[in-house]
Amino acid sequence: MNLVWYRNDLRVHAHRALQEALQAQGPVMAVYFLCDGQWDEHGVAPLRRWYVLHSLAELGEQLAQRGIPLHVLDAGDFSRVPGMLGSLVREQGIQQVFCTREYPLNERRRDEAVALQLKQQGVSIRGFDDSVLVPPTTLRTGKGTPYTVFSAYKKRWDVWLEQHFALPSLPDGQVSKPVAFVGKVAVEDAIDKLDVDASLTQLWQPGEQAAARQLEQFVSRYLGGYRKHRDYPSLPATSSLSTALSAGTLSPASCFHAARQVMADAGARDGAACWIGELAWRDFYRQIMAQYPRLSWGRAFRPETDLLEWDNDDSLFQAWCEGRTGYPLVDAAMRQLVATGWMHNRLRMVTAMFLSKHLWQDWRRGEDFFMQHLIDGDFAANNGGWQWSASTGTDAVPYFRVFNPIRQSQRFDAEGKFIAHWVPELKAMDNKTIHEPWKQPLLVPDYPAPIVPHAGVRERVTESFKGVKQAYDQLQGVDA
Ligand SMILES: Cc1cc2nc3c(=O)[nH]c(=O)nc-3n(C[C@H](O)[C@H](O)[C@H](O)COP(=O)(O)OP(=O)(O)OC[C@H]3O[C@@H](n4cnc5c(N)ncnc54)[C@H](O)[C@@H]3O)c2cc1C
């Protein structure tokens, strides 16, 4: 008997662990461990839990139709997984375990404990790097160190994929008679315990089949115009596939494969190439996280920035969370996040930079808040995006990057459509004043004035970052 251990890879297609298990000798079964405690510890949004559990329910049915029973066991948290997996292996006479590798620290520690447990039982475990396109430790600089600058990483990433990419596929003719989905009741019980507002869940479709349809629609309708339109939040120009990618209902290999096929069409080539670049960012942050464990301890990527003294102002933070900062684009974005569980990429940068640079609040507070609301909440991408925006991360020109929230608004929501939708108090304003409503305060008595001025932010930020760099260098010198 072979076992596929499912985690954030809730699909049947383009799944090497399942493919290899089916090709090994003997029947195949699958298992998923519910770990509510871990979700609580990581502050995972209820909406994301809903997406995962419903996707798991669909996966169980899909596997059962292929003759593979999916067991769903309640482990509570990661610490009980090795013992429970060991018992399952013993009871079912399992010879090999197959899984998709995960890279955050807690997950790696869980997997090391499992590997040890299984070794003691004489059972092997095989991991596959299917949640990324390029395995995280594969690409190295000339000095043998991990890449920390995206542009250099991307060049090598392109070359590696050109030489090595292969889309995993299910082996033909290995499907046996349908069986029962044995974990069905456990998933249903877990779903019953969730408390998520229907106004949120009605916006999303969980599961592998919905993700595949979404990819198809995106590629046929929007991929060609992706580069041109992707920065405008009022347009349906990006894929919204981040949730499927992070829960593994869709594989990055399927996305890459689909986009590469479009590259043959000259009209769509530019958009496809640009979108592939976003898949590279996704890999980039995963390899950073895998190779810098301090990120999993809540530490900054640039060590000197751990010396920054952030303000700890609850009223400013609260105004940001609730979309009451007086900056229309920031407020519209924050309201979109809370009302839908998702936010456009440009606005994630704008809001994250605003919290960390204008309000001078610790980026970790914002990172947590995003995680508590995002349906696509993903540790590597969220941490990478937050640290990039706060200039504590991998941005190659960090100190001087302070987005002007008014200019961003005028540029990326020129007609004010996105703002008018999410901040209805402003919808009667024309497309000039909607970006700076404080210029006509009598027209918008219910909308707050800016909680902090934009003027002076760049200077203060630059000073603070220079200060900690000097302090850090001195400390290093003293230590040496
Ligand atoms: C502060 C901040 C927080 C973020 N938090 C998350 C998060 O929790 N989960 C998450 O999946 N993404 C996160 N991102 C990255 C990005 O904003 C989202 O992936 C993107 O908005 C999802 O929309 P989409 O699927 O339509 O993307 P598309 O534009 O269609 O891009 C295709 C895919 O590429 C990946 N991708 C795109 N941009 C990035 C990026 N900058 N970094 C890493 N991967 C990327 C995503 O998987 C995305 O689905 C964050 C970015 C910032 C600045």
Side-chain angles (χ1 to χ4, degrees):
M1 175 73 83
N2 300 294
L3 177 70
V4 182
W5 173 18
Y6 272 101
R7 297 97 75 91
N8 285 304
D9 50 349
L10 303 176
R11 65 181 182 276
V12 170
H13 295 96
H15 191 292
R16 262 184 299 169
L18 177 62
Q19 178 185 319
E20 292 285 330
L22 286 168
Q23 278 168 345
Q25 273 218 323
V28 177
M29 62 179 279
V31 68
Y32 180 91
F33 292 101
L34 297 166
C35 291
D36 255 11
Q38 219 67 42
W39 276 349
D40 292 345
E41 196 183 316
H42 294 164
V44 174
L47 180 61
R48 180 170 177 79
R49 301 179 192 209
W50 170 88
Y51 180 90
V52 168
L53 290 173
H54 280 274
S55 299
L56 185 62
E58 186 192 286
L59 174 71
E61 299 295 353
Q62 290 295 316
L63 288 171
Q65 278 173 29
R66 290 169 167 79
I68 302 167
L70 173 67
H71 295 247
V72 177
L73 306 177
D74 191 352
D77 63 36
F78 286 172
S79 65
R80 292 187 58 219
V81 170
M84 290 177 76
L85 193 60
S87 304
L88 186 72
V89 160
R90 203 172 304 116
E91 284 157 20
Q92 303 284 339
I94 285 157
Q95 280 126 20
Q96 275 198 90
V97 177
F98 300 81
C99 65
T100 304
R101 287 200 186 98
E102 297 194 307
Y103 313 112
L105 200 59
N106 285 341
E107 282 74 0
R108 268 161 43 201
R109 286 186 173 148
R110 173 201 60 196
D111 292 354
E112 280 161 20
V114 163
L116 196 66
Q117 171 75 39
L118 294 182
K119 195 173 169 198
Q120 286 161 3
Q121 296 179 226
V123 171
S124 66
I125 179 163
R126 290 179 59 196
F128 300 88
D129 292 297
D130 258 7
S131 75
V132 284
L133 284 159
V134 177
T137 51
T138 301
L139 304 181
R140 295 271 160 175
T141 65
K143 293 182 189 151
T145 53
Y147 278 98
T148 58
V149 174
F150 176 73
S151 51
Y153 172 78
K154 170 71 167 44
K155 275 192 198 137
R156 290 285 312 282
W157 187 87
D158 282 334
V159 173
W160 195 90
L161 280 172
E162 202 50 52
Q163 292 166 353
H164 300 279
F165 178 74
L167 182 69
S169 61
L170 276 180
D172 293 330
Q174 301 248 349
V175 177
S176 25
K177 272 203 271 166
V179 293
F181 171 18
V182 285
K184 188 172 177 158
V185 174
V187 182
E188 285 170 353
D189 285 351
I191 289 173
D192 281 348
K193 284 190 211 140
L194 288 174
D195 183 14
V196 200
D197 208 293
S199 65
L200 284 166
T201 56
Q202 70 180 3
L203 303 171
W204 300 99
Q205 275 195 307
E208 179 176 6
Q209 296 178 56
R213 280 196 302 274
Q214 208 178 318
L215 173 64
E216 211 177 292
Q217 274 179 17
F218 171 71
V219 169
S220 60
R221 288 192 203 164
Y222 303 111
L223 186 58
Y226 181 76
R227 187 188 294 276
K228 198 165 159 211
H229 302 305
R230 70 188 176 124
D231 270 318
Y232 301 95
S234 65
L235 300 177
T238 72
S239 70
S240 286
L241 284 169
S242 47
T243 310
L245 281 164
S246 63
T249 49
L250 180 67
S251 84
S254 299
C255 293
F256 183 73
H257 178 71
R260 229 173 40 161
Q261 286 194 318
V262 169
M263 298 282 271
D265 168 2
R269 188 175 303 150
D270 201 33
C274 183
W275 195 62
I276 286 174
E278 299 307 316
L279 299 175
W281 270 108
R282 188 175 171 277
D283 272 17
F284 176 68
Y285 283 140
R286 275 177 157 61
Q287 62 100 31
I288 288 283
M289 188 192 51
Q291 297 178 90
Y292 293 88
R294 65 172 179 267
L295 304 187
S296 299
W297 305 325
R299 303 270 298 280
F301 174 78
R302 300 172 78 91
E304 75 275 14
T305 62
D306 267 334
L307 298 177
L308 287 166
E309 287 180 17
W310 303 99
D311 286 347
N312 199 2
D313 186 321
D314 286 342
S315 65
L316 289 181
F317 181 66
Q318 213 45 42
W320 177 83
C321 295
E322 291 169 12
R324 291 186 291 101
T325 67
Y327 285 91
L329 191 64
V330 173
D331 292 345
M334 292 307 294
R335 294 184 197 188
Q336 178 190 36
L337 171 65
V338 173
T340 68
W342 191 82
M343 192 196 282
H344 188 278
N345 179 57
R346 167 119 327 245
L347 303 181
R348 294 189 202 207
M349 293 190 286
V350 168
T351 53
M353 221 173 272
F354 185 83
L355 182 76
S356 54
K357 308 274 174 63
H358 286 72
L359 303 184
W360 200 247
Q361 302 298 301
D362 193 328
W363 55 271
R364 282 160 279 234
R365 294 186 90 180
E367 182 193 14
D368 288 348
F369 187 78
F370 267 32
M371 209 62 190
Q372 287 154 17
H373 288 272
L374 281 174
I375 188 170
D376 67 11
D378 175 279
F379 179 62
N382 196 36
N383 185 273
W386 269 96
Q387 295 226 42
W388 186 93
S389 307
S391 301
T392 62
T394 53
D395 188 356
V397 282
Y399 294 178
F400 314 103
R401 206 182 296 269
V402 176
F403 284 176
N404 175 337
I406 307 154
R407 288 258 305 283
Q408 291 284 315
S409 186
Q410 290 162 335
R411 207 167 143 204
F412 297 111
D413 189 30
E415 291 173 34
K417 280 189 187 159
F418 183 81
I419 293 172
H421 180 79
W422 290 107
V423 190
E425 305 92 288
L426 302 179
K427 75 171 178 233
M429 304 202 101
D430 63 44
N431 61 14
K432 280 211 170 62
T433 38
I434 198 164
H435 305 290
E436 300 172 280
W438 52 89
K439 291 190 168 167
Q440 303 236 4
L442 295 180
L443 284 182
V444 283
D446 298 335
Y447 188 68
I451 47 172
V452 292
H454 171 66
V457 170
R458 178 184 300 276
E459 292 73 17
R460 200 193 58 206
V461 166
T462 309
E463 266 317 289
S464 302
F465 275 86
K466 269 192 187 150
V468 292
K469 180 81 176 85
Q470 278 167 6
Y472 184 79
D473 288 347
Q474 270 170 15
L475 282 172
Q476 295 294 97
V478 169
D479 284 342

